[in-house]
């Protein structure tokens, strides 16, 4: 189905989740947090004792991932894991399993199913390059490592997790390297994507820019 899609890809902690969520709310669109699917797969693997390099075992599990998204909450096997999936260790595990092509393939249908009426805002690493190449507006949202570490630090402390800036900068740098250099669906701006650097920008400013870009794209397409 050709319901409009806005893709917002970018490195970890660039603020794309917050911006994508706000844009979706403003437009009354659905919202896909594709990173949550990789995090859920990692969390489920950890709980079931499946090794993070067992590609076939992980893919088999991901194909039938018992997950549910309800009003900003994420459920795994019926349990509310909204906070558990945000833990830094699960993010790191997610980025390790995300390099495995069979795991990525296993999650494709689940992601495409989010494209429904009246439209979708999808955030991740390969939304514009692989999953929704026909998106009406593609955005590559980024920020400096320091700005991203600072945002992630505040997020974690707010949720009651402990955090260290030094460890976060190291984690983010390693995850950027894994995400951008992997062979399967590496993180990079999609062709035609608008590059938005939010290092010195408020969330409101970023949201306005994306909404303007979308309004222009709609105008151009009609
Ligand atoms: O966006 P978030 O930090 O929640 O994603 C967790 C990890 O999942 C990322 O570091 C990335 O390796 C992986 N991911 C991915 N493709 C996506 C979304 C997330 O590889 N579309």
């Amino acid at each position: 189905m050709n319901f409009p899609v806005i893709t917002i890809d970018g490195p970890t902690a660039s603020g794309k989740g917050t911006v994508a969520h706000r844009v979706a709310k403003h437009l009354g669109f659905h919202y896909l947090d594709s990173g949550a699917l990789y995090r859920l797969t990692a969390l489920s693997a950890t709980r079931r004792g499946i090794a993070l390099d067992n590609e076939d075992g992980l893919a088999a599990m991901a194909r039938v991932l018992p997950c549910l998204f309800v009003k900003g909450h994420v459920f795994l096997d019926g349990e509310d894991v909204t906070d558990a999936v945000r833990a830094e260790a699960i993010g790191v595990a997610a980025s390790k399993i995300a390099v495995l092509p069979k795991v990525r393939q296993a999650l494709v249908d689940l992601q495409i199913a989010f494209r429904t009426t009246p439209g979708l805002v999808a955030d991740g690493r390969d939304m514009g390059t692989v999953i929704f190449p026909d998106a009406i507006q593609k955005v590559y949202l980024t920020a400096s490592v320091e700005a991203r570490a600072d945002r992630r630090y505040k997020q974690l402390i707010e949720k009651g997790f402990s955090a260290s800036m030094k460890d976060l900068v190291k984690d983010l740098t390693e995850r950027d390297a894994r995400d951008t250099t992997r062979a399967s669906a590496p993180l990079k701006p999609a062709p035609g994507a608008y590059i938005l650097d939010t290092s010195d920008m408020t969330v409101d400013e970023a949201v306005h820019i994306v909404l303007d870009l979308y309004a222009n794209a709609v105008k151009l397409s009609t």
Side-chain angles (χ1 to χ4, degrees):
M1 285 296 174
N2 262 349
F3 301 116
V5 181
I6 301 172
T7 58
I8 304 187
D9 288 306
T12 197
S14 56
K16 60 191 183 330
T18 311
V19 172
H21 189 255
R22 292 262 304 268
V23 170
K25 204 166 169 206
H26 185 93
L27 295 170
F29 280 14
H30 299 279
Y31 167 55
L32 166 62
D33 170 8
S34 62
L37 298 179
Y38 289 91
R39 286 171 180 268
L40 281 164
T41 305
L43 180 65
S44 188
T46 310
R47 289 182 170 181
R48 292 176 194 207
I50 301 176
L52 298 181
D53 59 356
N54 176 355
E55 184 167 4
D56 287 327
L58 290 165
M61 190 192 66
R63 266 193 291 277
V64 290
L65 198 64
C67 65
L68 201 64
F69 292 80
V70 186
K71 294 184 179 160
H73 283 252
V74 186
F75 294 84
L76 178 65
D77 271 325
E79 180 193 340
D80 188 338
V81 293
T82 312
D83 287 337
V85 289
R86 300 315 311 172
E88 204 51 23
I90 295 301
V92 172
S95 88
K96 288 185 179 160
I97 63 162
V99 304
L100 305 170
K102 288 181 188 169
V103 172
R104 303 198 70 83
Q105 190 54 41
L107 293 172
V108 168
D109 288 347
L110 196 50
Q111 294 173 84
I112 289 174
F114 277 78
R115 185 177 196 169
T116 169
T117 184
L120 174 71
V121 182
D123 102 54
R125 305 294 187 289
D126 60 345
M127 298 296 96
T129 48
V130 176
I131 306 293
F132 302 111
D134 64 336
I136 183 165
Q137 180 63 54
K138 299 176 185 180
V139 176
Y140 186 82
L141 203 127
T142 187
S144 68
V145 171
E146 292 72 23
R148 291 188 284 132
D150 188 55
R151 288 173 191 169
R152 180 54 54 91
Y153 180 85
K154 286 177 184 147
Q155 262 176 12
L156 289 169
I157 297 295
E158 227 171 68
K159 289 192 190 300
F161 292 113
S162 63
S164 125
M165 271 301 275
K166 193 167 150 252
D167 291 348
L168 282 172
V169 169
K170 182 170 168 281
D171 270 5
L172 290 185
T173 308
E174 285 172 7
R175 277 165 70 177
D176 284 355
R178 259 200 301 278
D179 286 349
T180 52
T181 59
R182 67 182 176 219
S184 184
L187 169 65
K188 61 177 177 198
Y194 183 90
I195 314 280
L196 186 57
D197 187 326
T198 64
S199 303
D200 300 310
M201 216 179 256
T202 63
V203 171
D204 275 351
E205 286 169 325
V207 169
H208 275 118
I209 291 173
V210 176
L211 287 171
D212 283 349
L213 287 168
Y214 174 65
N216 269 330
V218 170
K219 237 186 262 164
L220 287 173
S221 72
T222 50

